[in-house]
């Protein structure tokens, strides 16, 4: 399936994959030795990804530049935790998900380490962009659509609005975040390859298209 605005192929690949992503691809075999077949454990992987996004939000608290930001993040953490808890409850109905979650944790944690945030703005962009991409990836794999959970929508919407105002006021910040956002997309595509199986090319197209729309909404060229 092809999404308007993004064409897979030699020319478009460089636009989607940052140099950092290309280096990751060369050593992707190091991520695979820990998985028997992670594509059969996507539900548990989705739970772990939601937990990782909760941790990403928690890491925003000490970076927040104002009390209002800290208060907003604290409230959003409760929404993200509700999303994580709902996913966990569903998976637990079929048995203990911890072994599958532990296996999924390796590539997910590795992807997160490659995009460690340097400051508040990097971290906020990761919440707004990478967190939403991850949720959409697993939504597509598990349910066949990219609709995000209502709690994830609220977290992303607040972060997007906070970023949009800052980007409009600071062209230097806008240029830096445009580069950072490309790295975030690269890491989301790494996870699509790890968990998507044969659907990887289609998923990469979909994630790239969604990312382009958000970049445009932020006033950034992708």
């Amino acid at each position: 399936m092809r999404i308007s605005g993004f064409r897979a192929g030699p020319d478009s690949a460089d636009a989607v994959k940052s140099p950092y992503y290309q280096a990751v691809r060369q050593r992707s075999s190091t991520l695979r030795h820990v998985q028997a077949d992670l594509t059969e454990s996507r539900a548990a992987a989705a739970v772990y990804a939601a937990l990782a996004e909760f941790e990403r939000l928690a890491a925003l608290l000490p970076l927040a530049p104002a009390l209002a930001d800290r208060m907003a993040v604290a409230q959003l953490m409760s929404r993200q935790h509700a999303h994580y808890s709902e996913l966990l409850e569903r998976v637990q109905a079929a048995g203990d998900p911890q072994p599958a979650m532990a296996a999924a944790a390796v590539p997910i944690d590795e992807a997160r380490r490659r995009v460690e945030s340097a400051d508040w703005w990097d971290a906020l962009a990761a919440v707004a962009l990478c967190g939403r991409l991850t949720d959409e990836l697993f939504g597509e794999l598990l349910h066949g659509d990219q609709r995000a959970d209502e709690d994830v929508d609220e977290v992303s919407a607040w972060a997007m609005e906070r970023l949009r105002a800052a980007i409009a006021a600071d062209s230097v910040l806008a240029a830096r975040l445009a580069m950072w956002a490309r790295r975030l997309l690269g890491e989301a595509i790494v996870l699509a390859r790890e968990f998507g199986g044969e659907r990887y090319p289609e998923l990469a197209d979909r994630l790239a298209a969604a990312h382009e729309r958000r970049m445009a909404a932020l006033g950034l060229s992708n």
Side-chain angles (χ1 to χ4, degrees):
M1 181 174 183
R2 289 290 178 265
I3 301 298
S4 177
F6 179 78
R7 176 175 58 84
D11 295 333
S12 61
D14 290 339
V16 175
K17 303 166 189 172
S18 67
Y20 205 87
Y21 166 74
Q22 293 174 23
V24 168
R25 184 176 184 181
Q26 291 174 1
R27 61 177 190 273
S28 63
S29 60
T30 63
L31 297 178
R32 288 189 169 84
H33 76 279
V34 298
Q35 56 185 29
D37 187 358
L38 285 178
T39 60
E40 295 180 358
S41 304
R42 289 168 177 165
V47 176
Y48 186 81
L51 177 60
E53 290 306 319
F54 177 78
E55 293 175 340
R56 200 197 298 268
L57 269 172
L60 274 177
L61 281 174
L63 300 174
L67 176 60
D69 291 316
R70 292 172 63 192
M71 293 172 66
V73 171
Q75 183 173 358
L76 293 173
M77 286 173 64
S78 69
R79 299 301 299 263
Q80 180 64 32
H81 189 271
H83 174 60
Y84 157 71
S85 296
E86 181 180 355
L87 291 176
L88 179 61
E89 184 176 350
R90 291 177 190 170
V91 174
Q92 283 178 324
D96 182 7
Q98 290 189 57
M101 287 176 66
V106 177
I108 291 173
D109 287 348
E110 182 67 16
R112 279 190 60 195
R113 279 193 292 270
R114 287 192 294 265
V115 287
E116 285 291 339
S117 305
D119 62 14
W120 161 259
W121 297 114
D122 283 1
L124 196 62
V127 166
L129 299 171
C130 202
R132 184 67 182 269
L133 286 170
T134 301
D135 190 67
E136 288 174 343
L137 168 64
F138 285 108
E140 183 72 38
L141 288 172
L142 296 173
H143 310 299
D145 62 53
Q146 285 186 300
R147 288 175 294 177
D149 181 272
E150 180 180 343
D151 294 317
V152 176
D153 274 336
E154 183 169 332
V155 172
S156 179
W158 176 83
M160 288 283 287
E161 187 60 34
R162 188 72 172 83
L163 283 168
R164 189 180 295 111
I167 287 168
D170 188 340
S171 60
V172 174
L173 176 65
R176 177 165 72 85
L177 289 181
M179 294 180 64
W180 176 243
R182 285 191 285 273
R183 284 184 58 184
L184 295 174
L185 174 61
E187 295 311 321
I189 290 178
V190 166
L191 293 184
R193 188 182 68 244
E194 292 299 322
F195 295 101
E198 294 181 355
R199 293 191 60 196
Y200 163 62
E202 170 202 346
L203 293 168
D205 280 359
R206 287 176 174 270
L207 292 176
H211 187 73
E212 281 190 47
R213 290 193 295 271
R214 291 192 192 101
M215 291 285 283
L218 286 173
L220 300 174
S221 58
N222 192 18

